[in-house]
Amino acid sequence: MQVSQILHQKGREVVSLTADASLSEAAQLLSRRRIGAVVITEAGELAGILSERDVVRALAADGAGALARPCSAYMTGAVATCTQENAVEALLAMMTQGRFRHVPVLDGSGRLCGLVSIGDVVKMQIEQILAEAANLRHYIGSAG
Ligand code: AMP
């Protein structure tokens, strides 16, 4: 299974903020959109990723003052990305090894074209397993 199949199902919207947006804006966006991470852009390019975990770390390190500081102060700049052609299994290995739950997807020109979360991967895999089980039941039922 390829990453493109997940995007086909969930859509290609990437929720993003610019690097100078405040941590408070990021927290409000994560809450409003019910998501776990936001992509950070600078001059239209991918500059980082900021997840709810970064918000917690920022508050633990700098207290409430962190909320007025820019996302660039707390985001992860070295973002692991994938392409639509990557296998979902490889994506899962990347997430497990890197200990993160979100991976932005880039197209052939290096532009953002989606974001996959570990929740999307698990949902897709469960659907696949259920479909395979139904096919097997049908096969066994029609064999006799
Ligand atoms: P998450 O598990 O996605 O909430 O993220 C845990 C930590 O990994 C946070 O510090 C994120 O900024 C960072 N992170 C999330 N996604 C990625 C990614 N694709 N590449 C690199 N770091 C990431």
Side-chain angles (χ1 to χ4, degrees):
M1 198 201 326
Q2 288 190 335
V3 168
S4 56
Q5 279 174 262
I6 294 182
L7 295 185
H8 184 70
Q9 201 178 56
K10 74 165 282 198
R12 290 164 190 278
E13 187 192 11
V14 181
V15 179
S16 64
L17 275 177
T18 54
D20 59 353
S22 68
L23 193 71
S24 171
E25 285 175 73
Q28 285 170 37
L29 186 62
L30 293 176
S31 168
R32 194 167 64 244
R33 299 297 304 265
R34 297 172 181 270
I35 53 175
V38 59
V39 161
I40 306 295
T41 62
E42 221 164 7
E45 301 283 324
L46 174 66
I49 190 162
L50 186 112
S51 89
E52 53 201 0
R53 208 161 280 185
D54 298 315
V55 178
V56 170
R57 283 196 198 118
L59 291 172
D62 299 334
L67 292 168
R69 297 192 66 200
C71 289
S72 55
Y74 300 109
M75 68 185 191
T76 300
V79 186
T81 60
C82 69
T83 68
Q84 302 186 68
E85 292 74 33
N86 282 147
V88 171
E89 291 73 18
L91 195 65
L92 202 51
M94 186 197 281
M95 287 173 162
T96 307
Q97 279 163 20
R99 293 172 183 265
F100 47 72
R101 297 166 293 177
H102 303 87
V103 178
V105 188
L106 302 183
D107 67 15
S109 318
R111 289 200 189 86
L112 282 165
C113 65
L115 186 136
V116 176
S117 77
I118 193 128
D120 300 326
V121 174
V122 170
K123 181 170 177 274
M124 195 73 175
Q125 288 199 323
I126 288 173
E127 282 172 12
Q128 198 181 22
I129 289 165
L130 289 178
E132 279 171 12
N135 282 342
L136 277 175
R137 271 198 300 274
H138 180 76
Y139 175 72
I140 292 165
S142 59

